[in-house]
Amino acid sequence: MPSDLLFIRGPFIALTGVPAGEPRSRLESTAGWRSLYTGVRDVLGEGHQRPSPGRMDMGAASLWGVRKAPCAVELAVLNSGITGGRRPISFSTRTSSIFGSGGDHKKKLFLQDIAELIRARACQRVLVMVGAGISTPSGIPDFRSPGSGLYSNLQQYDLPYPEAVFELAFFSHNPKPFFTLAKELYLKNYRPNIIHYFLRLLHDKGLLLRLYTQNIDGLERVAGIPASKLVEAHGSFASATCTVCRRPSSGKDIWADVSMDKIPRCPVCTGVLKPDIVFFGETLPQRFLLHVLDFPMADLLLILGTSLEVEPFASLSEAVRSSVPRLLINRDVVGPFAWCPRSRDVVQLGDVVHSVERLVELLGWREELQDLIQQETEKLDGRDG
C-alpha cells in the first residue's frame, strides 16, 4: 500500500506517511500521543486538556482510504481518560436505575429513558450525528432517492454516473453540473425545520458537545448553531478555494455568478473557484480531527436522519464508549444498530420529525422550542423581506 494513503490497523485510524509495517507502538508511546494532541490542539486552539494515553477502544471500524492531510497526523479512536471538568451530578432514583448499579449497563432503554437522562442533566455532553434525513423536511431532496433525489435530477447534464458531480476529475473537465447543484441547494432559501431548532435548543441549554453533520446545505448555521459547535464533515459553502492558485475566498464571493448560471472565477488567476465541499478522494476538513477528543468525552450520542453508509463519518457511531447510550432516530435501522447493536442502544423508527417532536414532548421543551422557532422565523423573514 502506498505510504501516503490512509491505512487501518486494528482500532487505529491512521493518516500518516510512515510505512505500513511500522509497529503501532509509535502511537501508543508518549511521543506519539504528544504528536496526536498537537494536531488536534491546532484545531481547538489553546486551553484544552491534553488526553491521557490509555487502553484503545477496540470497537473502531475500518474507514475508506483518503489522501493524508498536509501535516501527518495520526488518529485513534480513544476511550475515556479526558475529563470534562464538570462537577459530580446527583442522580434521581429513576436516573440511577437507568444507569444501573455496580456498573450494570444491561437494562434496556427506551426513548423516555433518554429524555429522563437529559432532563436530569445526567447527560451533559451530547454528541449529535446527522445526515440528509434532517434536511428533507425543509424541502431539500436527498441524493439517492430514485426519481426525486439530486443525483436523478442531474442526469440531464450527461454525467457518466451520478457521483461524478463530486469528483475532481469531472469537475475540472465540466464544473457546470456541480454549480447547478450548488444553486439548487443554496440559493432557493431553504429554511431550518424543527429538527435543526431542536439541536439549537440543545446548544442553548449548554448540552451540545458538538454536532457532526454530513449535510452541505448549511441549515445548521442558519438555525443559529455556532461554527465552534459544528463539524461539517463533508465541507460547506461558507468558503471557497481557487483550483489553480489555491487562493481562499469567502463563499459569498461565488453566488453572484452562480445565480446567473456563470462559473465563478478567481479574480487573481481566473481559475475556477470551488466551494470547500469535500469531493470523493479529498481530505476531510481539519475540524474532523475533533472526533478524537469529542467521542471519548460524550455521555450521550444522538444519530438522526442518516444511512450511516458513507465513510469515514459512519464509523464515528461506534467511537463512543460502550457504556454511553446511543439514540437512533431514523426511518430504518442502519449501520451498527442493525449488525452489532449495544445493550444501551435506543432505536426510534418512523418519520424523523414526528420522532423529534415526541422526544421534545418527553423533555418538556415544547413551548421553549415553539418560542425559538417563532423568534428565528421572524429574523429570517426580516432578512429575506
Side-chain angles (χ1 to χ4, degrees):
M1 176 179 293
S3 64
D4 65 343
L5 293 182
L6 180 149
F7 64 89
I8 309 301
R9 183 184 287 117
F12 293 96
I13 305 166
L15 288 172
T16 157
V18 301
E22 181 168 325
R24 71 184 191 185
S25 60
R26 170 179 174 180
L27 184 57
E28 292 170 343
S29 69
T30 302
W33 279 96
R34 187 178 297 116
S35 174
L36 170 63
Y37 170 74
T38 300
V40 177
R41 186 192 60 198
D42 291 340
V43 182
L44 286 170
E46 297 290 345
H48 289 265
Q49 183 171 351
R50 181 184 304 241
S52 303
R55 180 185 57 80
M56 291 298 164
D57 185 344
M58 299 303 289
S62 63
L63 308 183
W64 68 349
V66 294
R67 289 283 172 183
K68 69 177 180 180
C71 56
V73 178
E74 292 180 306
L75 307 185
V77 178
L78 317 176
N79 71 332
S80 58
I82 304 174
T83 60
R86 296 186 182 270
R87 291 174 293 182
I89 303 167
S90 296
F91 299 141
S92 67
T93 302
R94 173 170 173 77
T95 306
S96 298
S97 69
I98 293 172
F99 275 113
S101 58
D104 179 13
H105 299 297
K106 304 258 184 205
K107 180 182 183 296
K108 180 172 176 57
L109 302 183
F110 298 92
L111 188 65
Q112 183 176 352
D113 297 317
I114 299 297
E116 176 65 24
L117 289 171
I118 297 173
R119 281 172 59 88
R121 299 190 73 85
C123 295
Q124 300 187 58
R125 295 186 296 270
V126 182
L127 270 182
V128 183
M129 298 172 60
V130 300
I134 76 162
S135 291
T136 50
S138 293
I140 298 178
D142 64 16
F143 284 93
R144 294 176 176 83
S145 293
S148 62
L150 289 171
Y151 282 153
S152 295
N153 296 335
L154 288 170
Q155 288 309 305
Q156 59 182 304
Y157 295 100
D158 197 27
L159 295 170
Y161 41 87
E163 292 80 2
V165 72
F166 288 118
E167 291 186 353
L168 284 174
F170 185 83
F171 180 85
S172 300
H173 169 71
N174 179 15
K176 181 70 174 178
F178 173 80
F179 286 110
T180 299
L181 173 63
K183 183 178 179 181
E184 168 73 20
L185 280 177
Y186 204 80
L187 293 181
K188 279 199 171 182
N189 290 322
Y190 292 111
R191 290 190 173 188
N193 58 64
I194 186 174
I195 306 170
H196 298 96
Y197 287 121
F198 164 66
L199 301 177
R200 160 72 184 277
L201 194 55
L202 275 178
H203 164 67
D204 289 350
K205 289 179 175 290
L207 299 172
L208 180 65
L209 175 59
R210 204 90 60 195
L211 168 56
Y212 286 71
T213 178
Q214 294 173 280
N215 300 331
I216 60 176
D217 50 49
L219 290 183
E220 297 89 0
R221 291 175 182 247
V222 178
I225 299 172
S228 63
K229 289 292 183 177
L230 289 175
V231 172
E232 293 160 316
H234 297 164
S236 78
F237 289 106
S239 59
T241 303
C242 175
T243 55
V244 177
C245 72
R246 310 306 299 168
R247 177 180 180 270
S249 63
S250 168
K252 297 177 182 178
D253 296 341
I254 73 172
W255 296 116
D257 286 333
V258 173
S259 65
M260 295 185 291
D261 297 320
K262 295 180 181 179
I263 304 300
R265 297 282 177 178
C266 175
V268 176
C269 72
T270 73
V272 176
L273 285 176
K274 173 186 168 293
D276 292 331
I277 302 299
V278 178
F279 279 23
F280 291 113
E282 285 191 298
T283 303
L284 270 63
Q286 192 180 22
R287 282 185 62 79
F288 192 75
L289 284 171
L290 289 174
H291 79 83
V292 177
L293 295 182
D294 287 345
F295 280 76
M297 291 176 62
D299 49 24
L300 175 62
L301 176 61
L302 307 183
I303 303 175
L304 301 92
T306 173
S307 64
L308 291 181
E309 290 181 352
V310 179
E311 298 289 2
F313 185 90
S315 289
L316 294 182
S317 62
E318 295 187 281
V320 292
R321 290 164 290 142
S322 60
S323 61
V324 171
R326 303 185 301 181
L327 169 60
L328 174 69
I329 296 179
N330 212 40
R331 288 192 175 275
D332 305 295
V333 182
V334 294
F337 291 87
W339 46 263
C340 189
R342 297 179 181 178
S343 62
R344 301 178 65 71
D345 287 349
V346 177
V347 177
Q348 186 74 18
L349 298 182
D351 182 83
V352 178
V353 168
H354 292 162
S355 296
V356 168
E357 289 174 338
R358 174 62 178 153
L359 178 57
V360 169
E361 288 286 345
L362 291 170
L363 288 166
W365 294 358
R366 183 170 63 87
E367 290 187 9
E368 285 181 89
L369 185 57
Q370 287 177 343
D371 289 345
L372 175 63
I373 292 174
Q374 181 178 349
Q375 166 193 315
E376 294 300 314
T377 299
E378 290 173 357
K379 286 184 183 177
L380 293 176
D381 288 343
R383 185 195 69 179
D384 297 338

